[in-house]
Amino acid sequence: MAGARSGPGIPETSDRDRLTGVLVPVGPLELSVEEVRQLWSFIHGDIMDGSMRRLLRASLGLCPRHTWAYAVVEVELWQAGAGSRGGHQPFDVTILYEDLLDHVADGLGRKTSLLHRHPDEVLLPVGPCRICQDMASPSLPGLRMGYANSNTEALTVEANTLVHTTTWCLETVGLWRDRVCPACDPGTAAGTGDPALLCRFHLAGRRPLPEQLRHAVASRLREVRARMRHLTESMTDYGAPVGAEENTSWIEAIGFFAGWGLPLYLATDPEEAWLEPGSQPTEKGD
Ligand SMILES: [Zn+2]
Ligand SMILES: [Zn+2]
């Protein structure tokens, strides 16, 4: 991996330790019907019961592709909800990622000791992505049914438009653009940028992390989490409306866990992509 330019355009397949994930390349996700079916039922399941929460902590949520896919499916397909938007909001997503941000921040903030695993091992997922696992399991009649017999094919077409996800990304890009992981960002020269902004993949690639960097990342994650708490509340009947800093929090959280490929794609003007040296022009689907 040494010297290789890593970024969202270049999927990483390093299997150093347990880092077997592949970062989402810059481009549309193009979810399959089966992925949408699995994610839709994941959203409607008891994702936050105690044992599921422990599993999701250990695996650091889902793989990068399914982390973004999970947010996209919820944001695109959720029709009616509380809060000013009344739907098309990442509600389940923010609840799960509040928990995971806490988990990683606590792990990184821990003191090094002989009795416990090294603090930066919290960046290494233990266990597979649940959606990848379910997709690979033999099909059982009944389990392939869409949630509540919904027409999963139509939902897949709707999810893949990315209309609402794009709106979120564009509305908040002025805030998150300077907070992108420098190693995910094709506009940042390799090895430069603030290491405290690195996503979990690029941080894990730099282990062992100096204590100062671990603490800087932990406090950044706690700060994102605090803003996301207000965002979650704003999506309930009793929460106060929130502003742009809160609205951008879930994108920063998912960017940390899954890399920045999708928001960079959605917020990049295809005209501008031509101007960046070495970058490939991207074409957006309609
Ligand atoms: Zn997966
Ligand atoms: Zn990164």
Side-chain angles (χ1 to χ4, degrees):
M1 236 172 63
R5 178 81 177 90
S6 60
I10 304 167
E12 264 174 52
T13 50
S14 159
D15 56 0
R16 184 187 156 189
D17 300 311
R18 294 178 291 271
L19 279 179
T20 51
V22 175
L23 286 177
V24 180
V26 177
L29 283 171
E30 285 167 7
L31 299 173
S32 70
V33 172
E34 189 54 30
E35 285 177 305
V36 171
R37 192 196 314 270
Q38 294 284 353
L39 287 158
W40 196 232
S41 69
F42 181 67
I43 287 169
H44 289 89
D46 285 326
I47 63 160
M48 292 318 277
D49 76 26
S51 61
M52 181 61 79
R53 189 183 285 232
R54 273 191 300 281
L55 280 173
L56 287 167
R57 274 185 197 154
S59 65
L60 298 178
L62 305 172
C63 71
R65 173 177 175 80
H66 291 132
T67 300
W68 278 114
Y70 171 42
V72 162
V73 166
E74 185 173 35
V75 167
E76 299 300 325
L77 302 183
W78 184 21
Q79 300 282 0
S84 58
R85 290 175 202 248
H88 301 297
Q89 309 180 109
F91 183 66
D92 273 37
V93 169
T94 59
I95 291 177
L96 173 60
Y97 283 89
E98 276 181 37
D99 189 67
L100 293 179
L101 284 171
D102 251 357
H103 168 69
V104 174
D106 286 354
L108 288 174
R110 203 160 283 147
K111 279 197 176 10
T112 316
S113 91
L114 290 174
L115 292 175
H116 298 101
R117 58 183 201 154
H118 193 273
D120 59 24
E121 282 194 33
V122 73
L123 296 167
L124 304 177
V126 178
C129 162
R130 225 197 121 71
I131 302 296
C132 287
Q133 194 180 29
D134 287 351
M135 301 266 301
S137 69
S139 72
L140 298 169
L143 287 184
R144 298 279 158 179
M145 300 269 287
Y147 178 77
N149 295 324
S150 52
N151 181 344
T152 315
E153 265 157 51
L155 293 177
T156 304
V157 172
E158 203 178 323
N160 279 328
T161 64
L162 300 173
V163 171
H164 299 280
T165 312
T166 304
T167 304
W168 276 93
C169 286
L170 290 175
E171 277 176 7
T172 53
V173 62
L175 289 171
W176 60 254
R177 192 63 188 84
D178 291 339
R179 302 170 189 170
V180 170
C181 164
C184 280
D185 186 351
T188 305
T192 65
D194 181 356
L197 293 173
L198 289 169
C199 70
R200 68 161 164 114
F201 279 85
H202 289 120
L203 269 178
R206 293 202 185 184
R207 296 167 48 245
L209 302 177
E211 188 178 344
Q212 201 184 8
L213 177 56
R214 281 196 284 113
H215 288 292
V217 173
S219 69
R220 177 170 77 85
L221 299 182
R222 290 205 176 92
E223 189 277 324
V224 172
R225 185 200 180 277
R227 278 185 279 129
M228 208 159 68
R229 180 95 278 271
H230 293 298
L231 177 60
T232 309
E233 278 163 12
S234 79
M235 293 186 264
T236 65
D237 283 331
Y238 307 103
V242 289
E245 280 288 354
E246 290 78 20
N247 283 332
T248 198
S249 62
W250 72 271
I251 296 172
E252 292 170 74
I254 305 277
F256 176 77
F257 281 98
W260 287 83
L262 188 66
L264 285 172
Y265 165 72
L266 294 176
T268 302
D269 183 341
E271 305 276 314
E272 273 173 38
W274 287 93
L275 302 174
E276 289 205 27
S279 68
Q280 295 292 317
T282 52
E283 256 184 48
K284 296 193 185 186
D286 36 69

